[in-house]
Amino acid sequence: MVAFIEKNGNTSVWCPDRNPALQGAWVHVQNNGYTKYVQTFADGRTTDNLLSLPEK
């Protein structure tokens, strides 16, 4: 997923909210200096929307 987002840009992956009445979030690549990871970004702030998704 990191490689896909880096290749296609920060507006290439969208994560809908579990509640259809709420806005979803774009998925961006972050880097803590050691590891790249994906994180959602909505309403101008980082969020943990991906952590709230159900596991399948």
Side-chain angles (χ1 to χ4, degrees):
M1 186 56 67
V2 168
F4 180 87
I5 295 170
E6 287 183 330
K7 179 181 178 188
N8 296 290
N10 281 333
T11 58
S12 60
V13 179
W14 175 258
C15 180
D17 194 277
R18 288 175 22 177
N19 179 346
L22 297 176
Q23 177 179 335
W26 291 106
V27 181
H28 292 190
V29 174
Q30 300 294 329
N31 186 338
N32 65 7
Y34 303 101
T35 304
K36 293 180 182 180
Y37 59 95
V38 295
Q39 184 175 33
T40 56
F41 190 84
D43 301 323
R45 61 186 173 84
T46 54
T47 62
D48 63 348
N49 294 352
L50 290 175
L51 296 175
S52 67
L53 291 175
E55 292 186 31
K56 292 185 180 184

